Amino acid sequence: MAVKPTKAEKKQNYDAKLCQLLDEFTQILVVNADNVGSNQLQSIRRGLRGDSIVLMGKNTMMKRSVRIHAEKTGNNAFLNLIPLLVGNVGLIFTKGDLKEVSEEVAKYKVLNIPTKINKGTVEIITPVELIKKGDKVGSSEAALLSKLAIRPFSYGLVVLSVYDNGSVFSPEVLDLTDDDLVAKFANGVAMVASLSLAISYPTLAAAPHMFVNAYKNVLALAVVTEYSFPEADKVKEYLKDPSKFAVAAPAAASGGAPAAAKEEAKKEEPEDDSDEDYGGMNLFGDD
């Protein structure tokens, strides 16, 4: 007959297991386990077998083990877990993709609305909308729901926080795509550039705009003074003779037209038919 471990031995075994998992895994999902039964928890454990391990326990024991292990290893990043161990929570240690594991956990929510079909009882065979959102529940509706044992709530593990190599963040971060990150980064760069230009403080984001603005200022100065440079000479030339603005574009567009017209005319030019015989008669007489 196997000897049951004592309470102290159970604590030691739990502490050893938690410390082993902390050393082996760098990614942890902190999940809320309110209203999750043991059978449902077993289903979640079976569904996550492979790269993930679910560990439940008392918060005080988990906090104590995490704190002592952080002191022993000198890894203070573990201490970021302690503020998250509040309420009925558990830990999912994983080596897989955090978003995929989080979605997998969400699949095991169970809708707790039991139905019974027995002989001699009323059988509901079609959907019935008994209560609408915002309606007041009367005594008749409450009695019917009570008799049918209908409890329209969904229970399951809910990811509250994510621990990844010492960093703690909200699970909503896992829903961000590469496009979202690029858009946010571009928006941040634009804000930095705008602020830099407003206060005339040079930054890498504002450098292209500053160079363009500086070139415009130098060009404007060259136009109103005798100072010049190759790029400014062309602008000055157009300002002296504004008609060139109108001539330059059409000339460039129609530059190949005459040559094309000549080529077309050449193609349409008839062949020399002077020696052709018409009905056996030479139009120019015989030699």
Side-chain angles (χ1 to χ4, degrees):
M1 183 176 178
V3 180
K4 291 184 178 181
T6 63
K7 191 174 182 179
E9 290 175 341
K10 287 182 179 180
K11 288 184 177 180
Q12 290 177 357
N13 294 337
Y14 183 88
D15 178 75
K17 183 176 182 180
L18 177 55
C19 293
Q20 179 187 350
L21 293 174
L22 288 173
D23 290 335
E24 184 178 350
F25 294 83
T26 60
Q27 300 180 144
I28 306 171
L29 297 178
V30 182
V31 296
N32 183 287
D34 286 342
N35 303 307
V36 179
S38 57
N39 291 335
Q40 188 179 351
L41 193 58
Q42 284 300 110
S43 298
I44 295 173
R45 282 196 168 102
R46 286 194 296 268
L48 294 177
R49 279 179 182 172
D51 293 334
S52 304
I53 296 176
V54 181
L55 182 67
M56 308 298 293
K58 293 183 178 180
N59 292 345
T60 53
M61 189 180 300
M62 288 192 289
K63 289 180 179 179
R64 177 180 177 277
S65 298
V66 170
R67 187 179 293 107
I68 294 176
H69 192 62
E71 293 176 357
K72 286 182 179 180
T73 60
N75 188 352
N76 292 328
F78 292 142
L79 298 178
N80 293 330
L81 286 169
I82 293 179
L84 307 178
L85 302 176
V86 179
N88 187 17
V89 297
L91 302 176
I92 297 181
F93 296 83
T94 182
K95 292 182 180 179
D97 182 86
L98 286 170
K99 183 176 181 180
E100 293 180 0
V101 176
S102 179
E103 292 174 349
E104 186 70 21
V105 171
K107 290 180 182 178
Y108 289 91
K109 290 185 178 180
V110 177
L111 192 61
N112 193 13
I113 305 179
T115 57
K116 295 181 180 180
I117 302 176
N118 296 318
K119 293 181 180 180
T121 61
V122 177
E123 180 180 352
I124 300 177
I125 58 174
T126 57
V128 177
E129 189 175 26
L130 184 62
I131 300 292
K132 293 181 180 179
K133 184 177 180 180
D135 290 349
K136 184 178 180 180
V137 180
S139 57
S140 300
E141 292 86 353
L144 179 58
L145 290 172
S146 178
K147 287 181 180 181
L148 294 176
I150 294 178
R151 298 183 297 274
F153 302 103
S154 119
Y155 300 126
L157 295 179
V158 179
V159 179
L160 300 178
S161 303
V162 180
Y163 173 94
D164 187 6
N165 285 302
S167 300
V168 176
F169 50 88
S170 171
E172 283 77 14
V173 175
L174 301 178
D175 296 328
L176 293 175
T177 63
D178 291 340
D179 292 337
D180 294 330
L181 296 176
V182 171
K184 289 181 179 295
F185 179 78
N187 186 48
V189 171
M191 293 178 66
V192 171
S194 298
L195 180 61
S196 300
L197 293 173
I199 63 176
S200 299
Y201 184 83
T203 61
L204 190 60
H209 304 282
M210 289 183 169
F211 284 131
V212 171
N213 291 338
Y215 172 75
K216 290 179 179 179
N217 293 336
V218 173
L219 186 61
L221 182 63
V223 169
V224 298
T225 63
E226 296 298 327
Y227 174 77
S228 187
F229 52 94
E231 288 77 9
D233 290 339
K234 191 173 183 180
V235 176
K236 288 184 176 182
E237 183 179 350
Y238 278 128
L239 292 177
K240 289 180 180 178
D241 186 5
S243 62
K244 290 184 178 181
F245 282 109
V247 175
S254 60
K262 290 180 180 179
E263 185 68 23
E264 188 68 22
K266 185 181 292 185
K267 288 182 180 179
E268 295 177 356
E269 187 175 308
E271 296 180 359
D272 187 3
D273 297 331
S274 58
D275 294 331
E276 188 172 352
D277 186 12
Y278 287 87
M281 297 178 62
N282 193 334
L283 297 179
F284 298 96
D286 295 330
D287 291 336

